[in-house]
Amino acid sequence: MTTSTLLRATLCAILGTASAQALALDPLSYANYDQVRTRALHMDLKADFEKKTLSGFAELSLDWLDKSARSLDLDTRELTISKIEAQDAMGRWTPAKYSLDKFDQEKGQALHVQLPAQAPKVRIHYHTAPTASALQWLTPAQTLSGKRPFMFSQSQSINARSWVPVQDTPSVRFTYTARIQAPQGLRVVMSADNNPKATGKGGWKFTMPQPIPSYLLAIGIGELEARTLGSRTGVYAEPLRMQAAAYELADTEKMVEAAESLYGPYRWGRYDMLVLPPSFPIGGMENPRLTFLTPTMIAGDRSLVDLIAHELAHSWSGNLVTNASWKHWWLNEGFTTYVTTRILEVLYGQEVALMNLQIEQEEAIDSLKEIPPAKQALITRAADTGSDTYTDEGLAYPKGAWFLRTLEERAGRAVFDPFLRGWFDSHAFQSVTTGQFIAYLRSNLLAKHPEVMSDAELDEWLYGPGIPASAKHARSQRLTALDAATAAWIKGELPTAKLDTKGWTAAEWMKFLNDIDNKVDAKRLKELDLAFGLARTGNNEVAFRFYRAAVHAGYRDIRPQLNAFLMSVGRQKFVVPLYTALRANAEDRAWAENVYKSARERYHPETQGSVDKQMAKQ
């Protein structure tokens, strides 16, 4: 038994089994955070758009847990390190010896800093690679104005290590400060306190006073304007996108208030948002104090604001209470998906929330046919050795939410709401495991209300494949009424001209397009397109579902619009399924591969990696 193992065993004995699970080291990190932890980070970096690099230094303030430890092990990926300095007890900086391990495709490289004594601070001088997996550098031509370049990060889940040498695991939380130099005319924003009046003279300066995990480190640099939405909410966007963004996000302040009414005070100061160029690889990223958003949520009618509710919900589930490793991903995303529905209900009523929830559940069930049963559990019992032992990331959202909704419906909101708020309050600014939540669930809900869920059913939800047969399915009256019209249209009994869509919401269009997918031919899709202009809709969620159905039906008249969509939108939720559908048909495969050759450089590295995998399949 090593000293660090002995230390961990001692802590486990003191803290108990649930907390002991939290101390198990993250297999996707090289960091020795059982011996030493980062307490604070300072970054002093310069952005070079010609070289596509960030260069400067990162300074880590350290808490040493193991008094015999003399090594600091960090996570890096493609970082070029020029020197490392350590601070002694007198505040003097001296060179430190270091070494880099062999590069691993998934995890990057371990950086080992050898120290003669336990240093309070270590400073690492480095620069990033142009191919840093977290960063996308856009040319002026890829922005709205065409005048200035743009750069943004996406650190989740283990890409922070490609732009900062850190203990890149959600088990470690730290505060941070930064000074960032950028070319004149460009504004820098970060997941910290952003001052809309700042000028950048002497560098753009930031402070994040609340401790966060590394995956919530975020930076954006570009031609940006700031606009206030409420007393503690605002939006940053490219000038030509600002008006549309501000209109779409007008209800944000109300959303914060709605969430607070359910789960307690918002603890992050301001809630601002950054609307990014369309190559942003996901819908939104819950970077604290500055949520990053895809412009694909701008529909012009606020019909896709559930995305904002979701990212805001992370301020409680994920940012405040964080999964200790990515194996416990559902504690972030399942909880947040549940909270999202509750926020929507407070703001827009039960029927709107139910429509979103029903579509979410139906799409989850439909996704099961593409996911191996072993990946359908919320948490696997397999040894935690790497990402191959984790559950499917996408399923964690709806299945986790469905589990929590089941508890809520059976216990009643008068019991469940204080229970969930208590979870957030008692674990605030902590990193947690499924074992800790189950221990809390048993002590604070099931011990008092054992009829809510048996041990066998709890195990089925957590460790079983699919959705348990006992799960109650959401049923919206509006979507139920839509079913009859959809069935009649599919059979040809209801002509397209008589399909009454006048009052349909975006949710109803999404449901309709999901239900007709793979059930009608190209002729019927063309009728729909001519009648309702679906290939030209401004709602990207609707457009995606229509394009997917069109590809499956062989309706190729929409290729110009689909080409434009794939060339301009880099959101993985849309482009990966579309390329997958196109490659399934020999007549579409060559066309899709040709589009991708042109589109690939416009995508974020995360999106490139996902599409590359599809393109490599035979």
Side-chain angles (χ1 to χ4, degrees):
M1 183 179 284
T2 64
T3 305
S4 60
T5 305
L6 178 62
L7 173 70
R8 193 156 63 247
T10 303
L11 287 171
C12 291
I14 296 170
L15 297 172
T17 304
S19 292
Q21 292 177 346
L23 291 169
L25 292 182
D26 183 348
L28 295 181
S29 173
Y30 293 114
N32 58 334
Y33 58 90
D34 57 336
Q35 300 173 39
V36 55
R37 285 183 173 241
T38 304
R39 174 172 41 84
L41 166 70
H42 175 69
M43 293 169 280
D44 194 305
L45 300 171
K46 181 178 181 179
D48 187 324
F49 278 83
E50 287 188 14
K51 293 181 179 178
K52 298 182 179 179
T53 61
L54 293 172
S55 61
F57 67 85
E59 184 178 293
L60 283 65
S61 298
L62 304 170
D63 285 335
W64 292 87
L65 308 178
D66 184 342
K67 298 308 177 186
S68 67
R70 294 293 182 272
S71 176
L72 171 65
D73 299 339
L74 301 174
D75 296 298
T76 75
R77 181 184 287 128
E78 292 191 291
L79 298 183
T80 299
I81 296 167
S82 56
K83 68 176 178 177
I84 297 180
E85 301 169 292
Q87 188 185 64
D88 63 21
M90 303 297 292
R92 294 171 300 207
W93 292 93
T94 57
K97 294 180 179 179
Y98 65 92
S99 61
L100 281 165
D101 283 355
K102 185 179 177 182
F103 182 81
D104 178 84
Q105 197 63 42
E106 181 178 33
K107 295 167 60 176
Q109 288 176 285
L111 169 62
H112 305 287
V113 184
Q114 290 84 38
L115 300 163
Q118 293 186 337
K121 293 183 180 181
V122 167
R123 187 179 287 170
I124 302 156
H125 297 258
Y126 69 98
H127 68 77
T128 62
T131 52
S133 56
L135 307 179
Q136 184 173 14
W137 301 84
L138 302 177
T139 64
Q142 291 173 284
T143 66
L144 273 181
S145 72
K147 297 176 181 177
R148 301 276 187 178
F150 204 110
M151 186 273 277
F152 64 85
S153 67
Q154 173 54 25
S155 294
Q156 194 183 53
S157 51
I158 60 169
N159 289 321
R161 64 191 68 181
S162 73
W163 67 286
V164 193
V166 287
Q167 294 179 310
D168 196 9
T169 168
S171 282
V172 176
R173 304 177 73 105
F174 49 83
T175 60
Y176 83 82
T177 56
R179 185 181 80 97
I180 310 294
Q181 297 179 69
Q184 185 115 14
L186 299 182
R187 174 184 286 274
V188 182
V189 290
M190 294 191 78
S191 53
D193 59 336
N194 290 281
N195 179 3
K197 296 180 181 178
T199 63
K201 186 177 180 180
W204 299 84
K205 296 170 185 175
F206 302 92
T207 300
M208 167 48 81
Q210 290 92 357
I212 64 166
S214 56
Y215 76 90
L216 294 176
L217 285 172
I219 187 170
I221 306 176
E223 185 183 10
L224 295 168
E225 282 187 1
R227 183 173 298 187
T228 297
L229 298 173
S231 61
R232 54 185 163 170
T233 54
V235 58
Y236 292 84
E238 294 174 87
L240 294 176
R241 186 168 274 126
M242 178 56 81
Q243 187 171 346
Y247 174 82
E248 209 78 11
L249 301 171
D251 286 345
T252 305
E253 191 80 32
K254 295 177 186 176
M255 285 189 178
V256 178
E257 293 168 0
E260 287 184 315
S261 72
L262 293 166
Y263 305 115
Y266 177 76
R267 307 191 197 198
W268 300 92
R270 288 189 57 81
Y271 184 79
D272 292 323
M273 295 156 287
L274 169 64
V275 180
L276 290 157
S279 59
F280 187 55
I282 56 177
M285 183 61 212
E286 63 273 16
N287 302 310
R289 294 177 175 249
L290 189 68
T291 281
F292 281 20
L293 292 173
T294 171
T296 63
M297 53 73 58
I298 299 176
D301 57 3
R302 300 176 185 155
S303 59
L304 301 179
V305 292
D306 58 308
L307 176 63
I308 312 304
H310 182 92
E311 303 311 328
L312 170 64
H314 270 300
S315 302
W316 286 263
S317 50
N319 296 5
L320 188 65
V321 184
T322 306
N323 49 218
S325 76
W326 298 109
K327 182 170 184 174
H328 304 279
W329 168 263
W330 81 276
L331 293 174
N332 276 22
E333 295 299 351
F335 278 61
T336 295
T337 305
Y338 169 81
V339 171
T340 300
T341 302
R342 296 295 305 276
I343 294 173
L344 291 176
E345 183 180 318
V346 171
L347 279 182
Y348 305 114
Q350 187 178 49
E351 188 61 24
V352 169
L354 268 178
M355 283 194 287
N356 278 274
L357 182 60
Q358 182 177 334
I359 292 170
E360 172 190 302
Q361 291 181 352
E362 289 176 353
E363 292 184 343
I365 291 171
D366 187 58
S367 74
L368 294 175
K369 63 180 182 285
E370 305 292 336
I371 303 170
K375 291 275 193 178
Q376 293 178 10
L378 282 178
I379 182 91
T380 64
R381 284 193 169 102
D384 196 5
T385 57
S387 60
D388 59 333
T389 64
Y390 296 177
T391 190
D392 179 79
E393 288 186 357
L395 187 61
Y397 292 68
K399 186 174 181 179
W402 210 331
F403 167 56
L404 294 176
R405 186 172 177 84
T406 300
L407 294 174
E408 174 228 301
E409 289 176 333
R410 294 180 186 175
R413 289 184 175 178
V415 170
F416 188 76
D417 285 358
F419 160 82
L420 189 56
R421 176 170 176 174
W423 166 252
F424 295 141
D425 287 342
S426 61
H427 295 82
F429 300 107
Q430 296 178 34
S431 300
V432 296
T433 65
T434 300
Q436 287 174 280
F437 175 70
I438 297 309
Y440 179 85
L441 172 66
R442 292 188 191 281
S443 298
N444 295 277
L445 182 62
L446 299 183
K448 303 169 189 174
H449 305 278
E451 73 284 356
V452 168
M453 187 170 286
S454 67
D455 286 347
E457 188 183 0
L458 179 59
D459 270 14
E460 189 180 3
W461 273 107
L462 293 173
Y463 304 110
I467 305 297
S470 59
K472 181 181 175 183
H473 294 241
R475 287 286 178 264
S476 151
Q477 290 183 352
R478 287 188 64 150
L479 295 187
T480 299
L482 179 63
D483 287 341
T486 304
W489 184 83
I490 291 172
K491 292 176 184 175
E493 297 169 357
L494 178 65
T496 301
K498 292 192 176 181
L499 197 58
D500 185 7
T501 66
K502 193 173 294 182
W504 282 13
T505 62
E508 284 163 303
W509 271 113
M510 286 187 266
K511 162 77 169 163
F512 176 77
L513 291 169
N514 282 344
D515 290 349
I516 69 167
D517 192 12
N518 276 313
K519 294 178 184 173
V520 292
D521 60 18
K523 180 182 177 184
R524 305 299 304 285
L525 265 295
K526 185 171 185 175
E527 286 178 10
L528 268 184
D529 191 19
L530 292 174
F532 304 111
L534 293 174
R536 295 172 297 282
T537 176
N539 187 303
N540 287 282
E541 292 280 358
V542 173
F544 157 66
R545 288 166 176 80
F546 178 71
Y547 291 143
R548 183 179 58 187
V551 170
H552 288 153
Y555 174 44
R556 297 185 178 89
D557 291 3
I558 50 86
R559 276 189 177 177
Q561 294 93 334
L562 179 54
N563 179 77
F565 187 85
L566 291 170
M567 288 292 288
S568 63
V569 172
R571 187 175 173 185
Q572 294 187 78
K573 174 186 177 180
F574 298 153
V575 301
V576 176
L578 288 173
Y579 281 117
T580 302
L582 285 162
R583 292 193 79 251
N585 188 305
E587 292 186 55
D588 295 323
R589 183 175 300 177
W591 182 82
E593 291 172 350
N594 192 51
V595 172
Y596 184 51
K597 284 178 184 176
S598 299
R600 189 181 187 278
E601 67 176 4
R602 300 172 177 234
Y603 297 157
H604 185 275
E606 284 283 298
T607 306
Q608 291 175 353
S610 297
V611 181
D612 286 348
K613 287 179 183 177
Q614 292 299 320
M615 291 297 180
K617 291 179 180 179
Q618 298 301 316

